[in-house]
Amino acid sequence: MHELSIASAIVERAGELARADGTDAVSVVTVRVGELSGVVPDALDFAFEVAREGTALAGARLVVERVTALAYCGPCAAEFAVGMPPFFWCPRCDRPSRDLRSGRELEITGVEPMTSTGP
C-alpha cells in the first residue's frame, strides 16, 4: 500500500508548514487527489490515521478533495470527463484527445492550526 508512504510525506510536510506558521499542532490537512493519481482516497485516509500518531498532527483530520479527470478536445473545444478506467475519446466529435486538463493532482492545499479552547 503506497498510500502509507504518501500519508507519511503529507504528515511531514504539513508539520513543516505548521511550524513555519508558528504553530505546534494541526487540526485539519486538506489535500487534492486526482482521479488518475493512482491514490485510493479511502486507503489514504486510513494511512493518514496511522502516520499521524506521535506527531504534531496526532489529532488532525484529513480532508480529501477528489479531482475529476478531464480532457480537452482541440478540434471541437469540448472538455469531458475521461472516467475510470480512462477513455480519452471525445464524446462530442468522436476524436481522440491528448490533452489531460486535470486528474493527476496530489497536493496539500491547506493546513489548519489547532485552536485552543482555554478559559
Side-chain angles (χ1 to χ4, degrees):
M1 168 163 79
H2 73 283
E3 281 82 1
L4 184 55
S5 62
I6 292 168
S8 296
I10 290 170
V11 167
E12 183 178 331
R13 182 66 181 138
E16 291 170 359
L17 293 169
R19 285 187 296 279
D21 282 344
T23 187
D24 291 334
V26 172
S27 64
V28 178
V29 178
T30 304
V31 295
R32 294 182 67 206
V33 177
E35 187 175 23
L36 302 178
S37 68
V39 175
V40 177
D42 291 338
L44 180 61
D45 190 48
F46 176 77
F48 181 81
E49 289 182 21
V50 172
R52 71 183 183 180
E53 292 305 314
T55 72
L57 282 80
R61 179 171 58 92
L62 182 68
V63 174
V64 176
E65 297 174 348
R66 297 174 188 223
V67 180
T68 302
L70 297 174
Y72 177 78
C73 178
C76 74
E79 190 171 74
F80 58 95
V82 299
M84 270 310 275
F87 187 68
F88 292 93
W89 209 264
C90 179
R92 188 176 190 188
C93 73
D94 201 31
R95 294 182 185 169
S97 172
R98 294 183 181 177
D99 188 359
L100 184 64
R101 294 284 170 99
S102 66
R104 292 186 182 156
E105 296 82 358
L106 181 54
E107 59 190 355
I108 297 172
T109 59
V111 176
E112 295 179 27
M114 190 76 70
T115 58
S116 61
T117 55

